[in-house]
Amino acid sequence: TIIVKGNHVEHWLNGQMTVSYERNNEAWKALVATSKFKDSPGFGEAAEGRLLLQAHGDLVSFKNVKIREIK
């Protein structure tokens, strides 16, 4: 589960939070500037839009991806 409230983001896996971070601040911009996305203008800054599903060199399959807004 990925929960986004404003610029605060949490990633949950099997009921455990694996990472949380703030987007669109100086720390975020510094991380992006040293990442493989440094040449992608505005990476991760959009409030709405598309999801990016990543693979890190291994064979990956995505199945039953569900996106819903929780109010």
Side-chain angles (χ1 to χ4, degrees):
T1 302
I2 301 171
I3 300 171
V4 180
K5 293 181 181 175
N7 285 328
H8 182 77
V9 183
E10 296 177 354
H11 294 240
W12 292 76
L13 181 63
N14 298 327
Q16 299 259 343
M17 185 173 16
T18 58
V19 66
S20 84
Y21 53 91
E22 299 293 324
R23 298 180 320 127
N24 296 328
N25 60 23
E26 291 306 314
W28 170 262
K29 292 174 185 173
L31 287 171
V32 173
T34 60
S35 76
K36 64 183 176 182
F37 302 105
K38 65 182 173 277
D39 296 326
S40 301
F43 175 81
E45 295 178 7
E48 294 182 357
R50 299 183 174 150
L51 293 176
L52 171 67
L53 301 176
Q54 297 187 86
H56 296 281
D58 296 318
L59 178 62
V60 175
S61 299
F62 298 100
K63 182 178 178 181
N64 296 329
V65 175
K66 298 175 184 171
I67 302 168
R68 64 186 170 118
E69 182 176 354
I70 301 173
K71 296 185 179 195

